[in-house]
Amino acid sequence: MIGALLWYAIDFALVVVFVGMAFCVGRLLRGPHLADRALAADTLITHLMALVILFTIRIESLLLFDGVLVLALLAFITTVAAAQYIARLHLRHARQAPISHKGEQ
Amino acid sequence: MIIAILDLITIAALLFGLFFMFAGALGLWRLPDFFNRAHAASKCVTLGVSGLLIAAVLHFAALYASPQRDAPAWESLFGAATKSVLVIVFLYTAAPVGSHMLARAAHLDGAKKDHRTLGDDLETDRAESRA
């Protein structure tokens, strides 16, 4: 009986995660700053991790469970890359001339 | 009996994680400026996913405890537990680092702050170091 309740909970969770993904896509399309879009993509990958975990509980098999680890690494790497890109963008705007490298003189 | 208790705790952990996932997504959509949104989204990453992972491990524990279990139930429980611990440790170290890097880059690039935002310590420090 409680096992059936778990299946209903997983169906409810799928609906809620898809609504959350819709919020993330909305912020991804709308976000005024570039960092907003990077944050929305990060949260979208997190919701994808949640979907994979719910699928793992549903089929009672570890078939796709390694994908959670891969998606966690991917989310971190994309966030770091976007943060570096935005910071470099600021530096390029701030200085007028390119910095000459010390070893190249 | 033990299976019913494990299923109840599984549902509780699932709803715990689900609440934080939905709160993070709703905050990402509704909050006024980037720094508030980053604050909401890192809750979604850490607490939401760890709640769902704990639910998965508890469900595999319930499968292992059930009387009509098949042969690889122990391997499933062990694999789910180790990978969940790995993912949770990685997320609890990586999510604050990534969120901090992104917020610092947005602050450097001049992301708009809402008029209700009260303090800005990084701006204060940079003004002091300039003076």
Side-chain angles (χ1 to χ4, degrees), chain A:
Chain A
M1 183 201 76
I2 298 179
L5 206 59
L6 180 62
W7 299 133
Y8 287 127
I10 288 175
D11 287 343
F12 175 67
L14 283 175
V15 173
V16 172
V17 168
F18 276 119
V19 172
M21 286 176 97
F23 282 139
C24 292
V25 171
R27 181 52 71 190
L28 187 66
L29 293 178
R30 189 182 153 189
H33 197 263
L34 195 57
D36 281 311
R37 297 176 202 267
L39 190 69
D42 185 23
T43 316
L44 198 60
I45 296 179
T46 305
H47 279 76
L48 209 59
M49 285 167 64
L51 278 187
V52 174
I53 296 166
L54 289 174
F55 186 70
T56 300
I57 301 175
R58 184 64 185 249
I59 69 171
E60 297 178 341
S61 156
L62 289 182
L63 188 63
L64 291 184
F65 202 62
D66 295 328
V68 179
L69 194 53
V70 175
L71 284 175
L73 282 165
L74 197 66
F76 178 62
I77 291 169
T78 47
T79 305
V80 170
Q84 291 283 326
Y85 175 68
I86 295 167
R88 294 286 168 84
L89 211 65
H90 160 73
L91 286 181
R92 194 175 302 148
H93 287 163
R95 62 166 188 261
Q96 299 299 323
I99 295 174
S100 65
H101 198 264
K102 283 284 174 56
E104 288 176 354
Q105 290 168 358

Side-chain angles (χ1 to χ4, degrees), chain B residues 9 21 24 26 28 43 46-48 53 71 74 78 81-82 85 90 95-96 100-101 104 120-121 125 127 129 131:
Chain B
I9 305 174
M21 292 297 288
L26 191 65
L28 188 71
K43 268 55 175 192
T46 53
L47 286 174
L53 282 171
W74 162 249
F78 186 70
T82 50
V85 168
F90 177 74
H100 178 265
M101 284 185 76
R104 184 175 164 277
D120 190 348
D121 285 341
D125 284 351
S129 68

Side-chain angles (χ1 to χ4, degrees), chain B residues 69-130:
Chain B
R69 64 167 183 254
D70 48 351
W74 162 249
E75 294 169 8
S76 298
L77 175 60
F78 186 70
T82 50
K83 286 167 193 169
S84 297
V85 168
L86 207 59
V87 172
I88 288 175
V89 167
F90 177 74
L91 277 183
Y92 271 65
T93 54
V97 173
S99 183
H100 178 265
M101 284 185 76
L102 201 58
R104 184 175 164 277
H107 189 280
L108 280 177
D109 199 41
K112 288 239 184 338
K113 286 190 285 288
D114 193 61
H115 67 280
R116 282 165 292 185
T117 302
L118 290 180
D120 190 348
D121 285 341
L122 180 56
E123 191 59 46
T124 311
D125 284 351
R126 289 163 86 205
E128 280 176 359
S129 68
R130 254 184 257 121

